[in-house]
Amino acid sequence: MATPTLPERSQLAYIASQAADSRLNVEIETEGMTLNIGPQHPATHGTLRIVAKLDGEQVIAAEPIMGYMHRGYEKLSEVRTYPQVTALVNRIDWMGSFANEVPFILAAEKLMEVEAPPRAQWIRTILFELSRIANVVLFLGDMAVQVGAITPVFYAFRDREYVLNQIEAVTGGRFHPNFDRIGGLKDDLPAGWIADTKAVLTKVDAFCDQLDTLLLGNEIFQARCRGVGVIPADVALSYGLSGANLRASGVDHDLRRDDPSGLVHDQIDWKVWTHPDGDSFARYWVRLQEVREAIKMVGQLLDGIPSGPIMAKVPRIIKVPAGEAYVATENPLGQMGYYVLSDGDLNPFRVKIRTPSFNNISICPWLLRGVYVPDIVTILGSLYFILGDIDR
Amino acid sequence: MNHLAGIDPILALSLAYWQQSLIKVGIVAIVVPTAALILGYVFLLKMMSFMQSRLGPMEAGPYGLLQLLADGAKFIQKEDIFPDAADRRVFALAPVVVLMSTFLLYLIIPVGPDAISANFDTGIFFALAVSSLSVIGILMAGWASASKYSLLGGLRAAGQLIAYELPLVLAVVGVVIQAGTLSMQGIVHAQATGEIFGFGWLGSPYILTQMLGFVIFMIAVQAELTQPPFDMPVAESEIVGGYQVEYSGFRFLFFFMGEFGTAFAFAAIASVLFLGGWWLPGFDADSNWLNVLGPIVMFVKVMVVSFFIFWIRFTYPRFREDQLQTFAWKFLIPLALANIVLTGIFKVVL
Amino acid sequence: MADTDTESPAAQEDAPPSDDRRERLLEDLRPLLGDAIVSTHIDVGHDLYLRVDRAQWADIGTRLRDRGFQFFDFLSAIDWMASPFGRSMESYVDTIVAGEDPTAPPADMSMIGSGYAGGDTRFQLLARLYSVSESIGVVLKSDLPDDDLTIGSWSRVFGGASWHERETWEMFGITFTGHPGLRHIYLPGDFEGHPLRKDFPLLARHVKPWPGIVDVESMPGDDEGGN
């Protein structure tokens, strides 16, 4: 038969991967060894379980099994008021948790037809980018641990503490700020915060430069990551991969530039980073550049915060008018979106939380066929997920 | 019998053979755990912590000096757990085998012109042979643990340790050719009395003339100790503990002591082979002072070599096994063979 | 795009804002999807909603993907039934603070109404696709008749749909014909019931009543709400 074209090949690959998906469900082990990676395992960022069927050291099929941390957020949000849902939603991606609140608040604001005042929008964007820095700096160190270099993660934690201190100074919480409100923010910035944050940004910048020499230039790191876990662009799109995973496959898409909503990214000067390779190294590299870019962005934002009120005029008890809205933002882990359906009551009627890691990990059965056991860890590390983000 | 002559001049007493052997066994039995403790504290607890921008243990004793003793006590008082499906006897024997190979290594380490436990004529040959025993112990541990992670770790270890035995041996061959003897004391003497291009004050430390061999030896030592970048058998972020994962309590302590004891032993062997051992420039090779100064000199040299072993340990990520094997078979072994050829040529020509 | 929200009510009445990009997209999609489109709605500046025929669901996915909507955003469902647990799910305190009568019957869905939103049938499938090249997205909804909760699967069209469809089956009980293996994704394998359905109770609330909006207390001298 004629050589299949690219769409047909990928179609065949999908079908094969789906078949592999369902084959794993059958409890007959005709060949190979079934290895359970997780739920308790240092590499799985939480309680993710990967059932890998191995032939020696090579993976025949691998399937992630999750739900060990499923908290039922969508069901819970039907019985919580909007500010209570905001507090709940902090805990989805707990590494960059301010970013979780933003799309939900923006969706509710859209339904209420309320716009936050400019000062609140700027500070929201600053905290949004700071949470990105906090989240991805951890990834930069953590990926090193996955491939065996145990030192950079300590530097990552150390420098991340500075960022968390800044977030805590504003919001009162390192990990769960619960700071965003419909119509603005809870509080204004404390005195001296801008200068302190600029000092912190220089430290994080120095950390990124350190990683460049310590890790990116290391031949062993490159040998472990280059060419491992290549995701072509069309496959990435069809699985809904987002964030750095998508940009590392060469797709030039960033919601902050292409589909902004409520944040002020269009008022500062910044750049979207892509990489053509689509392998683990590319994903690491893109995230490193994104942290540097975020540092520059926060620097610009800090210089331009307008003065004014922090909160628009909203009623004390918030009843969001009937309607539906979907707002997605470019969160640290990828594209996070909330579809909010309101019936005019105190509580939302239906909230669908579109989390980036759920889609990012759905590619694993397709991606992990034929790789070695160490590569599973490298690939999972480079896709970067947070369990709360997968499990909600 | 030269071991009798060893202690006589120092102690000025005449001891029976069994008394001498008992003393030697006692010394080795004390030195091995002490060496492991010292290496563990200085490099693992303190140097690694400082390089990672943290302090390390500070509570147990001043600056955490007694931390490892506390850890040892903790390990000893733990419950002796066997996995349900494990092969009990093999499971229990495996750490003993590994530790035994460590203890045997210390027999041939010289710390003075007369201070060596067993002055074999084929000292280094004995050391290399005995260090391979640990492979059996690791395989036993990996298989008997009845856990898939242990099995993966054990098989990886087997492949890796056997692959890196060859560069280890071949690197030593260069030294042996240059020294003309397999005996450890003989190698030290050769370095002490040798000359480089007529300049004899520094002796002829083989690190200068066998630089390539030294590098290959250090890489192979890193792999034999299953330290990063060659720690696939114990890849902590993948197979969690590899062959050690089912071990707890004092059996794990044996593995731990084996690892650090072997590190100390290999560092000592490297100092003897390449850095001149217990000899200090300015002393006569047979001087009696070196029986007292020798241990100190050896200790310093061992610390220097261990520094590099551990520094590389926590800087580099780890190789995947296929990359690891490629590195050994396609790169290190040809290089070591080339080193031997060159050494042979120079030995004949010069 | 967000500036349409800040128009004062007076201005909105005078000049209804229009969304040229999405109007053009809709005109593009009409011939492509043909009679599959049941109704449409353009949320100006935000999204294009298409309510489509259930029978052609899988085919629509293929056509949209080939047209350029290659990015699979999400797929889920909406249960339009009002919660039969009504006011008992919220606390007594909540309803009084909101100025409602705690003994009133539960709200009905007529507030949102039909058209693009839904409510004609109990279950409605909800999906969103995005076109990276055009930076535009489309939300697709499809009503499912109450007696036949099946619809075509998108797992052969979009790789990522497989997991989303598993989750939708698990949470709502909607069967996707053509899916390689519908099984539990979040919940244990022997779980009975479909949790996100409105008649599946939130057990925690039954075990212990919700304490209420304890963090929103009236300030002294303040009544509840400016609007």
Side-chain angles (χ1 to χ4, degrees):
Chain A
M1 74 185 232
T3 321
T5 60
L6 188 58
E8 287 166 36
R9 254 190 283 142
S10 32
Q11 188 94 12
L12 291 170
Y14 301 158
I15 298 173
S17 72
Q18 308 305 344
D21 230 347
S22 44
R23 245 202 317 259
L24 261 183
N25 201 25
V26 179
E27 290 297 309
I28 304 171
E29 295 181 49
T30 50
E31 59 167 13
M33 169 174 94
T34 305
L35 183 70
N36 250 322
I37 302 178
Q40 283 104 359
H41 193 275
T44 56
H45 296 279
T47 52
L48 179 69
R49 175 177 166 210
I50 311 237
V51 179
K53 211 145 183 193
L54 303 178
D55 179 17
E57 281 260 354
Q58 206 166 21
V59 175
I60 305 171
E63 190 202 352
I65 296 180
M66 57 221 159
Y68 290 93
M69 213 185 156
H70 181 62
R71 296 160 284 182
Y73 275 10
E74 297 182 5
K75 184 87 179 171
L76 279 178
S77 1
E78 290 169 12
V79 293
R80 301 274 169 117
T81 63
Y82 285 81
Q84 288 169 340
V85 175
T86 311
L88 200 61
V89 139
N90 262 304
R91 287 147 174 84
I92 294 181
D93 163 18
W94 52 71
M95 285 299 177
S97 35
F98 183 81
N100 300 320
E101 310 171 20
V102 170
F104 178 73
I105 293 288
L106 290 174
E109 283 181 355
K110 184 211 160 281
L111 285 175
M112 288 194 73
E113 293 180 2
V114 151
E115 198 186 356
R119 185 177 173 83
Q121 285 184 353
W122 279 69
I123 299 180
R124 233 181 228 171
T125 316
I126 292 175
L127 288 172
F128 189 73
E129 291 301 321
L130 275 181
S131 72
R132 180 190 313 278
I133 294 175
N135 195 343
V136 183
V137 157
L138 181 70
F139 160 79
L140 296 176
D142 198 59
M143 173 85 175
V145 173
Q146 307 301 326
V147 295
I150 48 182
T151 311
V153 75
F154 289 96
Y155 304 150
F157 270 111
R158 178 196 63 194
D159 291 318
R160 192 168 169 266
E161 276 304 306
Y162 300 129
V163 178
L164 289 179
N165 285 344
Q166 291 308 111
I167 296 181
E168 188 192 14
V170 185
T171 68
R174 283 165 75 234
F175 269 76
H176 300 302
N178 194 10
F179 196 60
D180 225 347
R181 299 283 182 271
I182 296 181
L185 297 170
K186 175 166 166 270
D187 255 323
D188 210 330
L189 298 175
W193 190 82
I194 297 182
D196 285 341
T197 311
K198 286 194 176 165
V200 164
L201 291 177
T202 5
K203 288 197 186 126
V204 184
D205 213 11
F207 166 74
C208 293
D209 293 334
Q210 217 178 11
L211 275 185
D212 241 341
T213 42
L214 185 59
L215 214 50
L216 281 184
N218 188 311
E219 298 82 12
I220 304 180
F221 184 77
Q222 299 217 359
R224 284 297 298 274
C225 294
R226 279 206 191 271
V228 170
V230 176
I231 305 180
D234 57 337
V235 175
L237 286 172
S238 109
Y239 275 91
L241 248 53
S242 50
N245 298 330
L246 190 62
R247 287 190 283 278
S249 293
V251 178
D252 188 10
H253 171 63
D254 190 320
L255 277 175
R256 293 173 287 178
R257 179 195 60 194
D258 300 328
D259 209 353
S261 32
L263 298 172
V264 296
H265 289 103
D266 48 349
Q267 301 187 29
I268 48 173
D269 190 23
W270 58 285
K271 176 177 149 65
V272 175
W273 292 89
T274 62
H275 196 288
D277 282 348
D279 56 12
S280 304
F281 185 81
R283 293 190 274 274
Y284 189 90
W285 186 89
V286 167
R287 286 199 176 91
L288 181 63
Q289 308 311 322
E290 283 185 358
V291 172
R292 288 192 167 129
E293 202 64 37
I295 294 173
K296 286 190 216 144
M297 281 199 258
V298 177
Q300 293 178 48
L301 287 166
L302 286 173
D303 287 331
I305 307 180
S307 51
I310 269 291
M311 187 81 170
K313 187 86 171 91
V314 283
R316 187 117 199 138
I317 308 292
I318 293 181
K319 275 193 171 186
V320 172
E324 51 191 309
Y326 176 76
V327 172
T329 54
E330 187 75 26
N331 275 37
L333 291 175
Q335 171 180 331
M336 182 178 217
Y338 290 79
Y339 170 83
V340 178
L341 175 61
S342 164
D343 61 345
D345 203 354
L346 288 171
N347 314 337
F349 185 73
R350 166 96 171 99
V351 175
K352 161 72 189 164
I353 310 176
R354 192 266 187 206
T355 52
S357 302
F358 188 68
N359 284 43
N360 287 350
I361 295 304
S362 68
I363 203 176
C364 278
W366 182 88
L367 192 56
L368 289 179
R369 289 162 309 166
V371 301
Y372 291 112
V373 169
D375 290 336
I376 299 180
V377 176
T378 312
I379 291 172
L380 279 182
S382 71
L383 284 177
Y384 194 43
F385 55 91
I386 297 283
L387 233 312
D389 212 48
I390 304 181
D391 277 357
R392 292 181 253 131
Chain B
M1 300 212 276
N2 29 7
H3 44 263
L4 267 178
I7 300 198
D8 269 346
I10 307 174
L11 295 180
L13 355 126
S14 194
L15 293 170
Y17 179 58
W18 67 269
Q19 286 167 323
Q20 291 193 14
S21 305
L22 217 55
I23 293 178
K24 287 178 189 173
V25 163
I27 291 178
V28 170
I30 294 176
V31 162
V32 174
T34 315
L37 278 178
I38 294 177
L39 270 191
Y41 177 76
V42 172
F43 293 114
L44 195 66
L45 293 187
K46 286 300 162 187
M47 180 171 108
M48 174 159 109
S49 308
F50 285 6
M51 282 189 175
Q52 289 172 350
S53 173
R54 56 189 178 95
L55 283 178
M58 297 288 281
E59 288 295 317
Y63 297 104
L65 275 169
L66 301 179
Q67 179 67 38
L68 284 175
L69 285 178
D71 277 338
K74 177 195 79 171
F75 277 127
I76 293 175
Q77 55 92 37
K78 279 199 177 203
E79 182 188 350
D80 187 12
I81 298 178
F82 287 91
D84 207 24
D87 185 336
R88 287 200 150 212
R89 231 179 311 158
V90 179
F91 187 83
L93 265 181
V96 177
V97 170
V98 171
L99 199 59
M100 233 177 12
S101 108
T102 307
F103 273 92
L104 285 173
L105 265 180
Y106 280 76
L107 285 181
I108 45 84
I109 297 176
V111 290
D114 306 308
I116 184 174
S117 294
N119 195 8
F120 295 140
D121 284 335
T122 54
I124 189 62
F125 183 73
F126 172 82
L128 292 171
V130 140
S131 73
S132 323
L133 275 181
S134 59
V135 184
I136 303 180
I138 291 174
L139 267 176
M140 287 162 68
W143 180 258
S145 296
S147 148
K148 284 170 186 165
Y149 283 99
S150 310
L151 187 64
L152 267 178
L155 293 174
R156 284 178 180 180
Q160 173 183 315
L161 294 175
I162 291 174
Y164 279 87
E165 284 286 339
L166 275 165
L168 192 73
V169 171
L170 292 176
V172 171
V173 168
V175 169
V176 167
I177 291 178
Q178 214 178 337
T181 167
L182 280 170
S183 139
M184 296 293 268
Q185 297 283 36
I187 294 176
V188 178
H189 272 267
Q191 291 181 72
T193 54
E195 306 179 325
I196 307 184
F197 299 120
F199 178 67
W201 186 78
L202 208 53
S204 167
Y206 290 153
I207 189 173
L208 297 175
T209 53
Q210 289 278 318
M211 182 47 116
L212 186 59
F214 178 67
V215 171
I216 297 175
F217 186 82
M218 291 313 295
I219 296 177
V221 160
Q222 199 84 7
E224 286 296 313
L225 295 170
T226 60
Q227 305 264 35
F230 304 103
D231 74 334
M232 263 289 134
V234 195
E236 261 186 65
S237 58
E238 301 161 27
I239 50 177
V240 193
Y243 60 89
Q244 291 174 2
V245 76
E246 297 292 342
Y247 283 90
S248 63
F250 69 93
R251 299 189 199 282
F252 180 75
L253 190 66
F254 284 179
F255 274 121
F256 190 78
M257 252 204 307
E259 183 180 335
F260 283 85
T262 316
F264 192 93
F266 269 119
I269 293 175
S271 328
V272 165
L273 292 177
F274 294 98
L275 293 178
W278 43 258
W279 184 74
L280 212 52
F283 282 84
D284 182 32
D286 293 316
S287 155
N288 223 8
W289 282 107
L290 283 174
N291 273 320
V292 177
L293 278 177
I296 302 174
V297 171
M298 271 295 281
F299 185 74
V300 171
K301 290 183 183 173
V302 165
M303 282 291 136
V304 170
V305 174
S306 308
F307 173 76
F308 286 101
I309 295 180
F310 283 95
W311 190 20
I312 296 182
R313 175 200 172 126
F314 24 90
T315 309
Y316 278 86
R318 72 176 66 96
F319 278 114
R320 214 170 53 204
E321 333 70 76
D322 59 318
Q323 297 166 339
L324 203 153
Q325 299 282 348
T326 316
F327 187 61
W329 292 98
K330 290 193 188 171
F331 188 70
L332 280 188
I333 291 182
L335 219 56
L337 289 171
N339 180 44
I340 294 176
V341 167
L342 275 175
T343 311
I345 293 176
F346 278 120
K347 181 81 175 179
V348 168
V349 162
L350 292 178
Chain C
M1 291 292 175
D3 48 45
T4 52
D5 278 344
T6 56
E7 283 179 48
S8 61
Q12 269 180 330
E13 278 157 17
D14 292 345
S18 66
D19 192 338
D20 290 324
R21 280 176 70 219
R22 290 189 172 87
E23 306 255 355
R24 266 180 277 124
L25 175 66
L26 185 55
E27 291 319 306
D28 244 356
L29 292 179
R30 277 196 198 279
L32 183 70
L33 301 176
D35 59 343
I37 298 182
V38 170
S39 72
T40 70
H41 173 82
I42 292 183
D43 193 359
V44 172
H46 284 267
D47 246 330
L48 167 66
Y49 291 80
L50 290 180
R51 211 155 150 203
V52 294
D53 183 19
R54 172 181 80 123
Q56 304 186 41
W57 180 256
D59 199 35
I60 290 169
T62 317
R63 277 185 247 160
L64 283 175
R65 182 197 67 189
D66 295 336
R67 192 225 170 267
F69 286 90
Q70 294 177 317
F71 184 82
F72 175 76
D73 207 338
F74 68 88
L75 187 148
S76 187
I78 306 173
D79 181 351
W80 281 97
M81 185 172 95
S83 169
F85 303 99
R87 293 289 173 204
S88 73
M89 295 303 281
E90 287 101 61
S91 83
Y92 203 69
V93 177
D94 285 7
T95 52
I96 293 182
V97 166
E100 311 271 322
D101 176 8
T103 54
D108 64 327
M109 285 294 99
S110 56
M111 270 195 273
I112 303 189
S114 281
Y116 81 99
D120 297 335
T121 59
R122 180 174 169 195
F123 286 103
Q124 187 181 54
L125 207 69
L126 173 76
R128 187 169 191 266
L129 298 174
Y130 190 85
S131 165
V132 170
S133 46
E134 297 166 69
S135 297
I136 204 165
V138 59
V139 179
L140 295 157
K141 300 172 128 196
S142 180
D143 292 342
L144 301 173
D146 293 334
D147 54 353
D148 183 22
L149 290 181
T150 59
I151 196 169
S153 163
W154 271 4
S155 52
R156 287 172 197 276
V157 185
F158 296 98
S162 169
W163 276 22
H164 288 248
E165 287 173 356
R166 270 172 69 190
E167 193 204 345
T168 313
W169 169 80
E170 176 184 56
M171 295 291 168
F172 290 95
I174 298 170
T175 314
F176 292 86
T177 52
H179 190 276
L182 278 179
R183 58 188 192 281
H184 285 287
I185 193 166
Y186 279 138
L187 303 169
D190 51 359
F191 194 89
E192 286 171 13
H194 299 285
L196 272 178
R197 290 190 175 185
K198 288 290 167 54
D199 48 1
F200 190 97
L202 188 62
L203 296 170
R205 289 295 179 91
H206 285 266
V207 167
K208 182 178 172 191
W210 184 242
I213 312 179
V214 290
D215 54 343
V216 181
E217 293 175 351
S218 321
M219 299 295 279
D222 191 28
D223 53 2
E224 59 259 334
N227 274 6

